[in-house]
Amino acid sequence: MTTFAEARSIILDNISPLGSERVMLNQAVGRLLAEDIIAPWDIPLWDNSAMDGFAVRAADCRPGATLPVTGFLPAGESGTIPLAVGSAIRIMTGAPIPPGADAIIPIEETDPADDRVTLIEPVKKGQHIRYRGEDVTGGEPVIPAGTLIRPAEISMLASCSRLLVPVHRRPRVAIVSTGDELVEPGEPLAPGQIINSNTLALAAAVQEAGAEPVIIGIARDDLTSHREKLKEGLQADLLITSAGVSAGDRDLVRDVLAELGVKQLFWKVDIKPGRPTAFGLKDGKPVFSLPGNPVASLVTFELFVRPALLRMMGHGGVIKPTVSALLQDEVKKKPGRLHFIRVRVEKADDGYLIQPSGDQNTGILKTLVHANGLALLPPEGDRFPTGTPLEVILLDRQFEMGNP
C-alpha cells in the first residue's frame, strides 16, 4: 500500500503551476505575483516635506529666532518658489521642497503669526525631508515574482502605477459528491438519507486555499449519473470526488474515471483516517478521489489536495510546517499504520502542548471542529504515554501567527 510520504511525493511530482493572468490592482490581494515588478521611476519622485510646517535654511535657524513667512506651498504645487535667505515658507506634508530650503520645522515646534514664525526648537539640516528616490530608485526590482500580494504590495504596485497585475491563475476546482443517500442542506430528510455536507466543506477548503470552487452536484449510484457529473468535473483545472472510491458494489468512481481516461497513480494510502484515497491524472489534470466520511474527507484534503492547489498557484513552500508538541493524555492505536489524530494545541513557555480534541472515531465530526492541529502517531507505535513528543501540523492560520 502507498505510504503517506510516497503519496504526497507522487502528487507533487505531477503538479505544475498554472499559467498567469492579469487582474485589476484592486483584485490582486491574496494572489501570487507571476512576474518581477520593476520600479518605473524614483519613489518619491521629488524631495518633499514629511510634515506640516515651515521650509527653512538650517543656517538661518536658532531657538527664539523669528523669520518672515514669504509664501505657502500646499501638496500638489510645483515648488518653484525659491526660499530667500533668512526667511521661511509655509509648507504642507507631501509638498515639494522649494529651492534653497534644506530643512522642515514642524508647525508644533514654532510659534506662528500671520506673516512670520518664531522658532522654539533647534533645527538640523535635512530634518523632515523625504528625498527623491530614498524609498525606491527607478529601475530597481521592488517585488519579486512569487510574492504573495498583501496590502503593502498593493501600495507599492499603486505607487508604480500598475493597474493590471500579473498573477498566477487560480485553479477552478470541480467538486462532485456521490451517493443515492445524499440530500442537499435544507431539503427534507427521509429515513436512511444523510445531508451532503462534504460538498460545501470541500468548497470552503478550496476557497480558503485561494482557489475557485465549482460545485457540480451529486452523482447518483448509477453509471449514467457518474459519467455525466465526472465528465463535467473534468472540464475544470482539478477534480475532487467525495465517496464512492472504496470497493463496494456502488462504489463507481474509479471505474468511471478510468473509462473517461483518468490514469490512476495510486489507490489506498496507509494512513488513518483517509485510507481509501486515490489520485490520478487526465491529460496532466489532477483528480483526487477522497473518502466520503466528512472527517476523512477534510483531513485528506489538508494532507494532499491543499499542497497541490498551492503548487498550481505558484507557491514555493506548499507543505505546512510542523512543530514538536508534548502529549498531555495517553493515546493508544493499533500498530502498523500512520494515524493523524485531531488535537488541541496550546502554546507553552517552552514549546507546544497537545491534547486529543475528543473521540477519534472518524464519524465524530465535532472532534475536528474542536481541533486546531493534527498530530502524527508513527506506524510502529501502539501506545503513546503522557509526555510523548509528537509531530503536529497546525491547522489554524491565527495559531500559526502565534495567536491560539
Side-chain angles (χ1 to χ4, degrees):
M1 193 183 303
T2 307
T3 67
F4 170 61
E6 290 169 342
R8 195 143 68 177
S9 179
I10 290 169
I11 292 167
L12 294 180
D13 285 348
N14 285 281
I15 301 290
S16 299
L18 297 176
S20 64
E21 62 182 352
R22 294 182 183 273
V23 300
M24 295 298 294
L25 178 60
N26 62 356
Q27 298 173 338
V29 70
R31 306 293 292 272
L32 214 69
L33 195 62
E35 300 173 10
D36 293 340
I37 299 297
I38 308 299
W41 43 60
D42 294 340
I43 302 176
L45 267 171
W46 53 78
D47 298 349
N48 68 89
S49 176
M51 304 287 285
D52 290 344
F54 297 89
V56 296
R57 299 172 188 266
D60 295 336
C61 302
R62 56 178 177 75
T66 298
L67 302 177
V69 177
T70 60
F72 174 59
L73 268 177
E77 292 288 334
S78 63
T80 57
I81 304 172
L83 176 68
V85 174
S87 65
I89 292 178
R90 179 83 180 263
I91 195 168
M92 305 302 288
T93 302
I97 302 299
D102 61 12
I104 300 296
I105 308 174
I107 194 168
E108 58 268 25
E109 295 179 6
T110 68
D111 183 10
D114 289 341
D115 58 356
R116 63 190 58 250
V117 60
T118 300
L119 312 184
I120 299 174
E121 301 290 339
V123 177
K124 182 179 178 182
K125 184 177 181 178
Q127 72 178 29
H128 304 303
I129 293 177
R130 296 184 290 215
Y131 289 99
R132 174 173 181 161
E134 72 173 15
D135 186 2
V136 171
T137 302
E140 174 187 345
V142 287
I143 314 176
T147 299
L148 182 68
I149 299 174
R150 307 163 301 164
E153 283 75 23
I154 293 291
S155 183
M156 180 61 76
L157 288 162
S159 297
C160 294
S161 200
R162 295 296 294 259
L163 294 181
L164 288 173
V165 183
V167 295
H168 286 279
R169 190 164 64 80
R170 282 177 168 162
R172 295 179 68 253
V173 181
I175 301 168
V176 177
S177 291
T178 67
D180 281 346
E181 74 280 12
L182 297 180
V183 297
E184 299 293 8
E187 294 181 357
L189 196 62
Q193 293 182 322
I194 60 174
I195 293 175
N196 177 23
S197 63
N198 280 357
T199 290
L200 292 178
L202 290 170
V206 166
Q207 191 170 12
E208 186 181 54
E212 179 186 344
V214 180
I215 295 176
I216 303 298
I218 300 170
R220 298 303 177 184
D221 290 332
D222 62 77
L223 290 172
T224 300
S225 181
H226 269 61
R227 289 188 187 108
E228 176 190 336
K229 297 296 185 184
L230 296 180
K231 185 176 181 180
E232 183 182 353
L234 286 170
Q235 303 306 306
D237 298 305
L238 183 147
L239 170 61
I240 301 174
T241 70
S242 172
V245 74
S246 294
D249 292 339
R250 293 191 173 187
D251 291 329
L252 306 174
V253 170
R254 292 174 61 231
D255 289 343
V256 174
L257 287 175
E259 178 186 314
L260 294 173
V262 176
K263 180 183 178 183
Q264 183 178 284
L265 299 189
F266 67 75
W267 175 50
K268 293 186 180 179
V269 186
D270 202 13
I271 60 173
K272 183 177 182 179
R275 182 171 179 264
T277 297
F279 172 70
L281 297 172
K282 163 71 170 174
D283 299 327
K285 186 174 300 184
V287 178
F288 290 88
S289 297
L290 307 183
N293 178 287
V295 170
S297 179
L298 285 175
V299 168
T300 50
F301 179 95
E302 177 66 31
L303 299 178
F304 301 124
V305 185
R306 183 179 182 276
L309 290 175
L310 294 179
R311 173 68 57 84
M312 294 174 78
M313 291 184 286
H315 289 263
V318 300
I319 305 299
K320 279 188 176 180
T322 60
V323 299
S324 180
L326 298 180
L327 188 61
Q328 298 302 290
D329 281 317
E330 180 177 87
V331 174
K332 296 179 181 179
K333 74 170 184 67
K334 292 181 180 179
R337 186 182 300 178
L338 174 64
H339 282 221
F340 291 87
I341 64 169
R342 291 142 272 162
V343 294
R344 283 296 303 172
V345 189
E346 294 183 2
K347 189 78 169 65
D349 292 338
D350 54 353
Y352 294 92
L353 305 176
I354 54 170
Q355 188 161 356
S357 58
D359 188 340
Q360 295 298 309
N361 186 303
T362 53
I364 307 299
L365 181 58
K366 69 179 179 182
T367 311
L368 186 57
V369 172
H370 295 157
N372 62 352
L374 294 174
L376 285 67
L377 301 182
E380 59 275 9
D382 61 353
R383 177 177 172 271
F384 301 86
T386 300
T388 301
L390 293 175
E391 189 177 359
V392 180
I393 301 169
L394 300 178
L395 296 179
D396 291 353
R397 288 182 181 177
Q398 63 267 30
F399 195 93
E400 293 171 7
M401 296 171 64
N403 299 301

